[in-house]
Amino acid sequence: TSLLKPILKLMENPKAAVPNLLFQCQHGFEECEGNAYEACLQDVAPNHKDFFPVFDCVESRSCPEGKYPPDCVDTPANVMQGCLKEYGQHINTPELLKCYHGDRMRELLVINDIATLEAKPQWVPWFTLDGVPLVQDPNHENSTASFREQFLLGKRVCDAYVVKSGKEAPAGCANFPQSDDEVGADPWSKFPKNNFTAFIDELNLQRLQQAAANEALRDEQQSPWRFFKVKILAVVVLLCAVSGGSAYYCTSKKKQEREEALLASQNNA
């Protein structure tokens, strides 16, 4: 942190010359990309109820290093677009993109780097609750047992809620493991394996449909007959307006005549 904090101070000064920063992540560029998007997401939508559905969507669908569809969907950047469309209608997307492509993103990553170093993580993931590490003895001779303590995060959060609020724990707290015995020999088995085959097929279909619609629109715009269609329509509207009133009147009159003709044919039948 002794190196990063002076840099952060420079970044907070709009007139200061900030060194060119290069960020590297344990699992490659895509992980850095995801970290940047998620940092900006929390910055433009700091309310937990606003950002977390999008955040959770990105985390569950993104492909980490060594993982490929259909176990996941795509890179964090590509997944973010769909997650914003599904869960982030209230998110200011232009501001999010401005953050991601600007200096604010670099500032946020430095802030997160400092916070990570100050937490002194022993491994990843590493949880703290009110600033206190969830794992109290990470150097225990049985490192596996220490790591398993992290599966008691839900219980610890619920316990803290009861102490701070003076209320009973929410009903959902009973679903969390309450002891190491309840964690089980293979805690990962309780998490269902994702298979996004159907979801990916639907995305591909939507992309094909959108591409076809775009191509049809281009063909229409480039058609030599388009100019004549517009001219003919304008002439018809003009003649109608001259002979009987406004263009709106003419359009309404034609619609009324069609409806009256249809009604007459039904009565005759």
Side-chain angles (χ1 to χ4, degrees):
T1 59
S2 61
L3 295 176
L4 290 175
K5 286 185 176 180
I7 293 176
L8 180 60
K9 195 167 186 65
L10 285 174
M11 299 179 84
E12 293 171 348
N13 181 358
K15 297 182 180 180
V18 180
N20 187 25
L21 300 176
L22 175 64
F23 295 93
Q24 292 182 321
C25 297
Q26 180 182 358
H27 301 109
F29 171 76
E30 284 78 12
E31 183 176 40
C32 283
E33 190 178 43
N35 290 343
Y37 265 115
E38 290 176 351
C40 285
L41 172 66
Q42 290 178 269
D43 191 53
V44 301
N47 189 302
H48 184 271
K49 292 181 180 180
D50 291 334
F51 81 78
F52 189 77
V54 182
F55 193 104
D56 182 54
C57 174
V58 173
E59 286 291 324
S60 63
R61 294 180 184 177
S62 295
C63 292
E65 185 181 40
K67 195 173 183 181
Y68 306 95
D71 293 340
C72 53
V73 178
D74 209 332
T75 64
N78 291 336
V79 163
M80 175 64 79
Q81 299 175 31
C83 291
L84 284 170
K85 185 176 180 180
E86 286 186 56
Y87 302 104
Q89 294 89 347
H90 51 286
I91 302 293
N92 190 331
T93 303
E95 284 298 314
L96 173 63
L97 294 175
K98 179 181 177 182
C99 170
Y100 178 78
H101 293 291
D103 292 334
R104 180 58 176 164
M105 178 268 286
R106 295 171 181 80
E107 184 179 356
L108 292 171
L109 290 184
V110 171
I111 291 172
N112 290 344
D113 284 344
I114 292 173
T116 300
L117 291 171
E118 290 180 340
K120 297 180 174 61
Q122 302 298 307
W123 54 66
V124 177
W126 184 256
F127 300 105
T128 61
L129 187 57
D130 291 335
V132 179
L134 186 67
V135 178
Q136 294 298 309
D137 187 11
N139 298 316
H140 190 277
E141 60 182 9
N142 188 341
S143 59
T144 302
S146 296
F147 185 84
R148 286 163 56 84
E149 287 185 45
Q150 296 185 114
F151 288 93
L152 299 176
L153 174 63
K155 176 185 183 310
R156 301 285 173 79
V157 170
C158 290
D159 291 345
Y161 172 83
V162 171
V163 171
K164 289 185 174 185
S165 68
K167 301 178 182 179
E168 293 186 0
C173 289
N175 297 325
F176 296 124
Q178 302 298 306
S179 65
D180 184 70
D181 290 337
E182 291 186 21
V183 171
D186 182 13
W188 301 108
S189 64
K190 297 182 179 180
F191 295 88
K193 185 177 179 180
N194 291 323
N195 188 318
F196 289 102
T197 300
F199 181 76
I200 293 172
D201 289 344
E202 179 63 26
L203 285 180
N204 290 335
L205 177 60
Q206 291 176 7
R207 288 168 183 160
L208 288 173
Q209 291 173 337
Q210 185 62 50
N214 292 340
E215 184 176 357
L217 179 60
R218 283 194 300 270
D219 291 344
E220 174 67 19
Q221 291 174 338
Q222 295 172 2
S223 171
W225 291 102
R226 180 172 178 268
F227 174 80
F228 294 104
K229 289 179 182 177
V230 173
K231 286 292 185 182
I232 293 172
L233 178 61
V235 170
V236 170
V237 171
L238 179 60
L239 290 175
C240 180
V242 169
S243 62
S246 68
Y248 174 77
Y249 169 81
C250 294
T251 305
S252 302
K253 188 68 175 176
K254 285 290 183 183
K255 182 179 179 182
Q256 181 182 352
E257 290 174 356
R258 287 196 301 269
E259 291 175 349
E260 289 175 352
L262 177 62
L263 182 61
S265 63
Q266 290 175 345
N267 291 334
N268 293 334

